[in-house]
Amino acid sequence: MKKKLWIIIALIVMIPIGYLGYVIYNFEYETQRLINYKPLLTTEVYDRNGEKIANLFSDEHRYYVSFENIPPRLIEALIAIEDTDFFEHHGVNPDAIMRAIIKDVSAGKLKEGASTITQQLVKNALLTRDKNFARKFKEVLYAIRIEQELSKEQILERYFNEIYLGHGYYGIKTASDGYFHKPLKELSLKEMAMLVGLPKGPNFYAPTKNYELCLGRANRIIARMQELGWIDQATYDKATQERPQVYNDTLSKNSGPYIIDEVMRQLGDAFPDIRSGGYKIYTTIDMRLQESGYKALQSGREEILKRAEESGVLDENIKSQLNGALMSMDPNTGEVLAMVGGYDYSVSPFNRVTQAKRQPGSAFKPFIYQVALDSGMSPATLVPDIARTYTYKGDNGEDKEWKPKNYKNEYKGMVTIRDALTHSRNLATINMVSDMGFQKVVEGLRRYGIVENIPPDLSIALGTIMISPYDLAKYYTMFPTGGIQTNPILIRQVITPKGETFRYENKRRQVNTKEQTYLMTSILQDVVAYGTGTSARVSGVDIAGKTGTTNKNVDAWFVGYSPTVETVVWYGNDNNTPMPRSETGGRAAGQVFRYFYQDLMRIYPNTKRYFDRPAGVYLDSAIDSNSTENFTDTSAAPDATQAPAPTTEEKLVF
């Protein structure tokens, strides 16, 4: 019996001692989290003009503010309501609890809290909200320790950055920006009081939920400041009568989701803590043009659906699968100005600008013809627009025939290179490649950096290569820049919370001469002036570009440029089924290009409008003017052949 009694007594003594030992053992580790304070911080993404595109954060949305940037009046408001003796005690105020009870009872209203600001900081940053002796004991112990290690200013800085203020906002700077769209230094006294009143019940007093209750608590804080003599009557009257405007924003403020996804993809490896590191990311995007591109793409989709309905071919497949992409960039610097990866991110986050691999059709022809020009031909060189039959081996080794056709079986005989590309004559292009030699064309494309997915047969003449709008835009930069290929760049710089700056520059390389590429620009201007791209014409601006329509209207493209801006537009069904037969590159994509450029010139009227012709370049207009060819507007006619080109397995025999 005595032995059992001693065991019980030992347990009674040892359990509290053991618990105390556990607390002390974890004491240093826990308090160091506040002493060496490294909170989760929101990364902010901006466009080229400083407009915010989005906030990136993981668990807590928080902007950091240093003590010197916290307005003194804001500190006074906090101390007035939470801890009047803050600068006098050492973390715990033994008299505070009793004094608070007495004052609250005698006044019949809230006067001040019982816990010190240091205790509140400890509770919010290190402990749970459980109301029990163990938690309170640790709170007191930790608060005393924190006061020994940190100055009052450091404690306030941590408090203002750590505290939760409702609506998903952590920290005073975050709440100021979210609720009032203001930096701290521009807050009124009433707005400050509204913010410092939130920690008592952040979800209950949040102004987006209970505006009047929030105002009432703020007025009590202002009254407390007057009672302490920290503000005069006039200030009190003005502040209590104010009713600030409050905003109910989403936390991410993501106005460019396709852009943000691409930023994350490009920076994720270099900055694994991108969602919690508090970086400032400055992109090349212009949000005004981004919005214009988004509206243009949506408008184009609606027009396609409208035409399908009017022609009686609108079905669920088209409605659910039809999508598009638009990318605009400065070809000289490579800076991406707009990137719209689809008509609705909420429907599909798949970025068709960077991730979709599609056949460009005749939009690829400028590279084929540039090889011809580089090999000694000129825009006036004649090529045969006649039917030919090509023999190739099938899967089982049997001889097969390919008989490509022009649209409506039209054959013009001998035509100039300028005419062949202007009107996207497929047979002329195929015959030219055949006469030049397939390998010579491939070598030329490789000089331009086009090395992937090249089909090993004549179908390359019709753009059967698989390519993304992003890469197609990159290769097109050689034309407006005078032979310089410029890699697109989306990110200008990243600034860390410590002020370190990481700058990003594009890669440029000379792939041709300005004289040779200007010849191509002059031809592509004709495409827009009276060829397949007339729907892309913009009044008062030199536009050069090329349409592209693949077999059975699966893909519709327009890639074009002015002297300083290049844009690619694509439409198609996500499941690679055909669009209605009327949806050619000129009609579906060209009109969207025009819509976008009209908005571009409205927003930036001083954009360069006319191409500069290099010295020594003489165009072939005099020769062409003597041609008997009648130029007709075929912008609504597909520039794809009626028969499919051989697959990569069905190799042509030359």
Side-chain angles (χ1 to χ4, degrees), residues 527-539 543 547 557-558 584-598 633-636:
V527 172
V528 176
Y530 47 78
T532 60
T534 55
S535 61
R537 287 185 297 198
V538 180
S539 177
I543 298 292
T547 57
W557 298 76
F558 186 83
T584 64
R587 173 169 288 176
Q591 294 178 4
V592 171
F593 178 94
R594 183 183 71 242
Y595 181 111
F596 177 74
Y597 265 74
Q598 288 173 338
D633 180 4
T634 59
S635 61

Side-chain angles (χ1 to χ4, degrees), residues 252-518:
S252 65
K253 296 184 179 179
N254 193 342
S255 55
Y258 288 111
I259 299 166
I260 297 305
D261 282 359
E262 185 61 19
V263 167
M264 295 280 289
R265 187 189 68 80
Q266 293 188 20
L267 294 179
D269 291 340
F271 302 94
D273 61 340
I274 191 170
R275 286 188 175 274
S276 60
Y279 302 103
K280 291 186 184 297
I281 301 172
Y282 295 90
T283 70
T284 62
I285 292 294
D286 186 307
M287 285 307 294
R288 286 172 288 185
L289 296 182
Q290 178 73 13
E291 182 63 22
S292 294
Y294 175 71
K295 290 180 178 178
L297 198 70
Q298 278 202 323
S299 174
R301 182 178 184 273
E302 291 170 1
E303 287 298 315
I304 294 173
L305 294 176
K306 180 180 178 181
R307 288 192 292 267
E309 184 176 19
E310 291 173 348
S311 59
V313 296
L314 182 63
D315 57 26
E316 287 302 318
N317 179 70
I318 297 175
K319 288 192 289 186
S320 64
Q321 296 297 321
L322 180 62
N323 223 306
L326 181 149
M327 173 176 158
S328 187
M329 64 182 288
D330 181 334
N332 297 289
T333 65
E335 294 192 338
V336 178
L337 305 174
M339 179 187 288
V340 186
Y343 82 94
D344 190 338
Y345 182 88
S346 65
V347 173
S348 171
F350 182 73
N351 190 338
R352 292 154 190 82
V353 170
T354 59
Q355 296 175 287
K357 301 285 187 179
R358 309 286 295 216
Q359 291 187 5
S362 293
F364 191 75
K365 285 179 181 175
F367 303 108
I368 304 294
Y369 281 92
Q370 187 67 62
V371 173
L373 295 176
D374 293 346
S375 67
M377 299 184 190
S378 79
T381 298
L382 296 175
V383 292
D385 182 39
I386 59 177
R388 284 181 179 176
T389 299
Y390 297 90
T391 302
Y392 61 96
K393 295 293 183 182
D395 293 336
N396 299 320
E398 75 278 15
D399 289 338
K400 301 185 71 174
E401 291 184 345
W402 178 43
K403 298 179 180 180
K405 300 177 182 179
N406 274 340
Y407 182 65
K408 293 183 179 180
N409 292 323
E410 294 177 340
Y411 310 104
K412 297 296 182 179
M414 299 302 289
V415 297
T416 64
I417 280 179
R418 180 179 294 277
D419 173 80
L421 185 53
T422 297
H423 296 284
S424 202
R425 303 195 189 282
N426 294 314
L427 290 176
T429 309
I430 296 169
N431 292 332
M432 184 186 71
V433 171
S434 179
D435 293 344
M436 287 175 59
F438 175 76
Q439 194 58 39
K440 186 175 183 178
V441 173
V442 171
E443 291 172 358
L445 295 176
R446 286 174 177 167
R447 288 197 301 273
Y448 309 149
I450 305 172
V451 297
E452 295 182 357
N453 303 320
I454 296 178
D457 50 52
L458 284 180
S459 68
I460 186 63
L462 303 182
T464 56
I465 186 174
M466 301 299 289
I467 195 170
S468 69
Y470 183 90
D471 285 336
L472 189 59
K474 176 181 72 174
Y475 297 135
Y476 255 81
T477 58
M478 64 182 285
F479 302 129
T481 61
I484 299 174
Q485 188 180 98
T486 311
N487 282 9
I489 182 172
L490 180 62
I491 299 162
R492 279 182 168 177
Q493 63 180 12
V494 178
I495 301 178
T496 71
K498 294 181 179 180
E500 299 172 292
T501 300
F502 296 86
R503 291 184 172 85
Y504 294 80
E505 297 181 357
N506 63 359
K507 296 179 180 179
R508 310 176 78 221
R509 69 186 189 101
Q510 193 84 35
V511 297
N512 214 320
T513 68
K514 60 183 178 181
E515 291 80 11
Q516 287 295 99
T517 52
Y518 183 78

